[in-house]
Amino acid sequence: GDASSCVSISIIKLPGVEAGSDQIVCKGNPVVLEAGTENTSSHLWESNGDGTFADNESATTTYFPGENDIQTGNVELCIQAEGISNCGITSDCMDVNIQNPPLADAGANETICEGENIQLSGLAENYDQLLWEASGDGTFNNNSTLSSTYFPGNGDTENGSVEICLIASGLAGCESVNSCIVLDIIRIPVVEAGNNKTICENQTIEL
């Protein structure tokens, strides 16, 4: 009779890995990594910088940028994945840009007379948006630019001073910062001589 013999062949899919989208993080913050993997048996994260991984053998981990990473402003992170039953090796990389936090300087304290306004000239770096705010009841001609004019309100004048702050919101999740000045307002003196009077020649008058 006929004879036959069979074998079973298992076909193992090649490994697949995606490091994830490029990221921008604020200076001092870690990088959260969540790689996508398929048909893998092991993983290994590597950096071309001097930072460290919480666990460089896990597809999901955290990277802490080193001093050189921060100074350079960017770092490349790559994950290498080995397939099941040694069925190939694949890798993928992502770029991380490290953003400096914002800086703001509203300027120096100022003194004006009642009825005057103040020209503001702030300085800021690494910001997304700007905002001038005042503790009083005055108004700005434009509260979202570095150069602005503040018109004190009646309440500011009555109080004799008002605090004016420049707020710079950060990029890439960096926290906002603010810088404030105090504007002192000097009241205009009021003099009352009294009512008109009529006197005779050689008389004196008491004021």
Side-chain angles (χ1 to χ4, degrees):
D2 295 334
S4 64
S5 178
C6 300
V7 295
S8 177
I9 300 175
S10 297
I11 301 174
I12 300 173
K13 292 184 178 180
L14 293 173
V17 65
E18 290 186 0
S21 301
D22 294 341
Q23 293 190 40
I24 303 176
V25 298
C26 188
K27 178 181 177 181
N29 289 347
V31 184
V32 178
L33 301 170
E34 296 179 349
T37 63
E38 287 183 341
N39 311 310
T40 59
S41 61
S42 64
H43 317 96
L44 181 65
W45 282 100
E46 292 181 332
S47 164
N48 70 345
D50 62 341
T52 57
F53 295 93
D55 182 357
N56 68 342
E57 295 183 353
S58 173
T60 302
T61 187
T62 303
Y63 179 76
F64 302 92
E67 288 299 322
N68 187 64
D69 297 340
I70 294 172
Q71 185 174 353
T72 303
N74 59 75
V75 61
E76 183 182 61
L77 305 179
C78 297
I79 182 171
Q80 179 177 285
E82 184 175 337
I84 300 171
S85 299
N86 298 319
C87 197
I89 294 176
T90 187
S91 64
D92 189 39
C93 299
M94 62 180 291
D95 290 322
V96 177
N97 289 321
I98 301 168
Q99 176 67 51
N100 286 321
L103 300 173
D105 185 356
N109 295 338
E110 297 277 357
T111 300
I112 61 173
C113 291
E114 178 183 353
E116 295 180 339
N117 54 54
I118 179 174
Q119 179 66 42
L120 302 166
S121 296
L123 298 174
E125 296 179 5
N126 310 317
Y127 62 88
D128 180 32
Q129 292 180 326
L130 297 171
L131 180 66
W132 287 100
E133 287 188 346
S135 63
D137 62 344
T139 58
F140 298 92
N141 69 334
N142 190 333
N143 67 347
S144 60
T145 59
L146 285 173
S147 296
S148 181
T149 303
Y150 181 72
F151 303 89
N154 293 331
D156 297 338
T157 302
E158 291 177 5
N159 292 330
S161 68
V162 58
E163 185 179 63
I164 302 173
C165 297
L166 174 63
I167 303 169
S169 61
L171 297 162
C174 291
E175 293 186 1
S176 299
V177 297
N178 68 74
S179 173
C180 301
I181 65 170
V182 174
L183 175 64
D184 290 318
I185 304 170
I186 300 175
R187 301 293 298 269
I188 296 175
V190 177
V191 177
E192 180 64 52
N195 298 324
N196 294 334
K197 293 185 178 182
T198 301
I199 63 173
C200 295
E201 185 179 355
N202 296 326
Q203 286 185 323
T204 60
I205 184 171
E206 183 177 337
L207 300 175

